[in-house]
Amino acid sequence: MIEDKPEVRQAVKVYKALGEPTRIKIAMLLTEEKNMCCSEIMSMLESVAGSTLSHHLKQLTDCGLLTTRKDGTYIYYSVNRELAQKYAPYLLE
């Protein structure tokens, strides 16, 4: 069946994660500004609480749309451009 294909499962995860307006804003922000930590993202979004932002970042990371890099106590986020190009190319425009 079509639902059993890994590409379909991946697409569902990505689209589900991007189904929330704040997550789209985060993804679009990270296509412009690479390697941002949580506090930098929070200052750019202003109206999002820290715990809520962490939840959104986790959703975007779990679906593979964001990659992480740890540097000391900070985690830096950036868009997985290959995955974005495949499932959400409008993010890269």
Side-chain angles (χ1 to χ4, degrees), residues 4 9 12-13 17-18 23 31 40-41 46 49-50 55 73 78 81 88 91:
D4 293 338
R9 287 193 299 266
V12 169
K13 287 180 184 180
L18 290 175
R23 291 187 203 132
T31 59
E40 293 170 326
I41 297 168
E46 295 174 4
H55 171 74
T73 59
S78 50
R81 292 190 170 276
L91 290 175

Side-chain angles (χ1 to χ4, degrees), residues 32-89:
E32 296 170 10
E33 303 285 332
K34 298 174 186 168
N35 294 315
M36 293 180 76
C37 68
C38 191
S39 60
E40 293 170 326
I41 297 168
M42 191 174 357
S43 70
M44 299 287 274
L45 295 177
E46 295 174 4
S47 63
V48 179
S51 60
T52 305
L53 179 59
S54 292
H55 171 74
H56 290 316
L57 290 170
K58 181 174 178 1
Q59 295 286 54
L60 291 167
T61 303
D62 286 350
C63 77
L65 194 58
L66 296 185
T67 58
T68 60
R69 177 183 57 85
K70 190 165 180 158
D71 186 11
T73 59
Y74 291 96
I75 297 175
Y76 290 89
Y77 297 89
S78 50
V79 170
N80 178 343
R81 292 190 170 276
E82 183 178 318
L83 193 87
Q85 183 63 45
K86 186 172 184 177
Y87 296 110

